[in-house]
Amino acid sequence: MIKIQNHINGKYREPLKQKYLDNYNPSKGEVYSLIADSDEEDVAMAVEFAKSALPEWKVLPDEKRFKILNRVAELIDENQNKLAEAESTDQGKPLYVARAEINRAAQNFRFFATAAMQFASESHNMAGYAVNYTLKTPIGVVGCISPWNLPLYLFTWKIAPALATGNCVVAKPSEITPMTAYLLGELCNEAGMPPGVLNIVHGLGPKVGSALVSHPGIKAISFTGGTATGKNIAATAAPMFKKLSLELGGKNPNIIFADCDLDKAVHTTVRSSFQNQGEICLCGSRIFVERSLYEDFKQKFVEQIKKLKVGPALDPDTKVGAIVSKMHFEKILSYIELAKEEGGNLIAGGNIVKPDGHENGWYIEPTLIENLPYTCRTNQEEIFGPVVSITPFDTVEEVLKMANSTEYGLACSIWTENLSKAHRVAAEIESGIVWINCWLLRDLRTPFGGVKQSGVGREGGWYAMNFFTEAKNVCVKL
Ligand code: NAD
């Protein structure tokens, strides 16, 4: 059985206490590999090696750094099939989804490698008697912590800008989906990344993650994960005055107006509800439909979701894969029960699926629920699975009130052919990202992040490059 080890100072290493955890294949519900159960001593060792690598890495000419990071991108592309199969097996996501995500992981490296070559400082001229210039310097050794839903995609989204700006990194992927981060270690070596520049420590969040957050040698933390974990991290990191970027949970609304292009709205809303089993922070989990379109939309939506084949991740016909873990599977099922208690009407799905030969895997049908008040727990709390609610509305004011009623504010989709209405709702919706007549269309230069309890800070483009650098103003009297 494969042992997923830490990658520290350019070498795969056993955790110092030589303890391992079970790693599951969700499609089968079986242990298929072991993962390093590291602790604060492994983190401390990784930080020391990262510190030793820093003096050379931070002054490496931009072009050399570009070449190494760009080579990592090429190697991810060259290993696309191997990485996509590994991701599907480890996470439960269908192969077609994993392929797209591995492609994006390569894009993340390529994008930030290129950004390293273009990142310039500003100059502020004071009418002939002084000039200021801004030095942007790496922070030092930084920590990156990522979740299980889009494993390599989100891992690389953090480490690529951190490395591109000249920092050394100690990174912790989710203990639930460690495989592709493990495989990335050898690709980084092959790309010529100097030892100690990127260190990957595996293990449990409350052990490895919190050791990383509280280590005085780590100067900034970029975290993506749940809101409760984010609060915990902020409570430790803030008194230590660490720079923090927090990308947290969501409860995203899809707002469908009667004047939308119905077929496109249905097609994309099916994707935004159930892609990756609904385990994407950007998935829409509350569908609001203008009353005159409500029945038509619902009928077409149900027709479409009944066609989605639920099955093992590696089956090429699978559209909805396995839920990532038994614990998460049970959490989602408990929300389906809660929805029934709260008066919800199950219009589609709601059942466990047991595909032939994979009866012990964790599968749930795409589920649509109506008749729930917008204030109930099912409509307020993040479920993070293939479960969505549908609610009619009559006016713009009413839908804004319902859409903005949660503690979250990550993303929103608006469907209408009326431009003025689209822009008005986009301006008034409380969220960091708004898609009009689309979903998950991403330009990596744009700000990415949430408001309210969906996060603090923005990633993407110069936002990420600025996060991972300190700006120093130098003022010269002429
Ligand atoms: P999680 O918070 O349980 O874990 C995320 C990471 O944090 C894991 O690596 C975990 O080991 C680590 N961790 C756990 N406890 C920790 C602690 N005390 N200190 C430091 N690190 C700790 O989240 P998850 O269940 O892996 O992911 C699902 C959540 O992530 C959902 O809420 C989802 O919305 C959110 N998410 C947000 C975005 C975004 O961009 N806003 C993207 C993807 C996922």
Side-chain angles (χ1 to χ4, degrees):
M1 203 178 276
I2 230 184
K3 271 186 170 177
I4 293 177
Q5 298 184 332
N6 296 330
H7 186 79
I8 297 177
N9 199 32
K11 290 200 180 77
Y12 285 113
R13 290 168 196 263
E14 296 236 48
L16 290 167
K17 298 219 169 60
Q18 306 205 353
K19 290 208 284 193
Y20 285 86
L21 303 159
D22 289 338
N23 187 33
Y24 284 84
N25 171 344
S27 296
K28 294 189 175 164
E30 281 173 6
V31 176
Y32 83 107
S33 57
L34 297 175
I35 162 176
D37 181 9
S38 316
D39 64 18
E40 69 279 2
E41 289 177 23
D42 300 279
V43 170
M45 178 168 75
V47 173
E48 286 314 309
F49 279 117
K51 276 189 196 163
S52 319
L54 187 64
E56 267 184 54
W57 182 249
K58 73 176 183 188
V59 297
L60 203 68
D62 291 340
E63 195 171 341
K64 287 204 173 151
R65 207 178 292 135
F66 162 81
K67 278 190 179 148
I68 293 168
L69 299 180
N70 198 49
R71 184 68 194 130
V72 177
E74 288 171 353
L75 288 168
I76 294 175
D77 280 339
E78 287 167 22
N79 288 278
Q80 203 209 31
N81 285 339
K82 177 182 169 187
L83 289 167
E85 277 187 25
E87 197 77 293
S88 279
T89 306
D90 208 29
Q91 208 276 346
K93 62 180 75 241
L95 209 44
Y96 79 97
V97 176
R99 282 211 183 89
E101 290 179 16
I102 299 304
N103 186 34
R104 170 62 193 276
Q107 233 185 323
N108 288 339
F109 263 100
R110 196 171 300 116
F111 177 86
F112 285 110
T114 313
M117 298 276 284
Q118 309 293 334
F119 195 42
S121 69
E122 299 120 26
S123 168
H124 300 90
N125 193 16
M126 296 172 75
Y129 71 90
V131 66
N132 297 272
Y133 60 89
T134 314
L135 282 179
K136 291 184 181 171
T137 51
I139 299 175
V141 179
V142 300
C144 296
I145 304 177
S146 56
W148 50 254
N149 62 326
L150 313 174
L152 196 65
Y153 173 131
L154 287 173
F155 190 70
T156 53
W157 179 238
K158 296 190 171 302
I159 62 176
L163 297 169
T165 41
N167 299 283
C168 288
V169 175
V170 180
K172 193 203 103 55
S174 170
E175 61 273 33
I176 300 170
T177 54
M179 186 58 90
T180 47
Y182 166 70
L183 297 173
L184 183 71
E186 62 188 335
L187 300 185
C188 290
N189 286 353
E190 200 179 328
M193 193 178 288
V197 167
L198 171 64
N199 304 278
I200 304 171
V201 185
H202 295 278
L204 299 170
K207 240 155 91 175
V208 175
S210 63
L212 197 54
V213 174
S214 57
H215 194 295
I218 298 282
K219 302 297 177 201
I221 293 285
S222 174
F223 169 79
T224 298
T227 295
T229 316
K231 269 186 201 164
N232 215 317
I233 289 176
T236 306
M240 297 177 83
F241 302 104
K242 295 190 181 196
K243 241 179 149 177
L244 261 185
S245 169
L246 301 172
E247 298 290 342
L248 309 175
K251 188 74 182 173
N252 309 311
N254 277 311
I255 302 178
I256 323 272
F257 287 100
D259 58 8
C260 71
D261 180 324
L262 180 58
D263 287 339
K264 283 188 191 154
V266 170
H267 176 79
T268 304
T269 308
V270 169
R271 269 186 61 226
S272 72
S273 302
F274 302 116
Q275 184 163 315
N276 203 43
Q277 302 72 249
E279 295 166 341
I280 304 181
C281 53
L282 304 165
C283 275
S285 48
R286 297 175 296 149
I287 305 172
F288 298 104
V289 188
E290 195 164 356
R291 197 173 301 274
S292 58
L293 188 70
Y294 186 79
E295 291 302 327
D296 282 355
F297 181 94
K298 192 170 83 179
Q299 188 200 332
K300 284 186 181 247
F301 190 81
V302 171
E303 272 168 24
Q304 294 290 316
I305 63 178
K306 291 207 161 144
K307 289 185 200 153
L308 296 174
K309 184 168 179 258
V310 180
L314 296 179
D315 179 340
D317 295 330
T318 291
K319 288 285 176 285
V320 175
I323 303 299
V324 72
S325 67
K326 185 160 192 279
M327 200 170 103
H328 194 53
F329 172 74
E330 282 165 1
K331 175 185 158 184
I332 297 168
L333 293 175
S334 77
Y335 270 104
I336 295 175
E337 284 312 306
L338 174 70
K340 290 182 201 160
E341 285 163 25
E342 290 182 319
N345 214 357
L346 255 69
I347 313 175
N351 301 305
I352 293 172
V353 180
K354 291 186 177 290
D356 285 347
H358 291 77
E359 289 80 1
N360 294 329
W362 306 305
Y363 302 90
I364 300 176
E365 287 175 334
T367 301
L368 179 68
I369 308 169
E370 73 173 348
N371 203 30
L372 283 170
Y374 75 94
T375 49
C376 72
R377 281 184 54 204
T378 313
N379 264 332
Q380 293 288 318
E381 297 174 16
E382 185 182 45
I383 301 173
F384 215 52
V387 179
V388 294
S389 69
I390 184 165
T391 308
F393 69 88
D394 293 299
T395 63
V396 170
E397 287 68 28
E398 185 193 6
V399 76
L400 277 170
K401 181 176 161 197
M402 293 195 287
N404 286 339
S405 67
T406 73
E407 289 176 336
Y408 296 105
L410 188 55
C412 165
S413 280
I414 301 165
W415 290 87
T416 173
E417 293 294 298
N418 180 326
L419 261 183
S420 311
K421 193 158 56 187
H423 290 302
R424 180 187 157 200
V425 176
E428 292 189 34
I429 199 85
E430 293 165 359
S431 81
I433 300 154
V434 177
W435 280 293
I436 296 174
N437 296 331
C438 59
W439 176 70
L440 205 51
L441 192 53
R442 294 278 294 117
D443 179 328
L444 303 191
R445 293 168 299 182
T446 58
F448 181 93
V451 300
K452 303 200 279 189
Q453 296 202 10
S454 287
V456 180
R458 292 293 180 273
E459 297 184 338
W462 298 142
Y463 295 89
M465 300 293 279
N466 282 323
F467 173 76
F468 284 114
T469 48
E470 292 288 3
K472 179 190 282 177
N473 186 61
V474 181
C475 178
V476 187
K477 176 105 170 61
L478 298 178

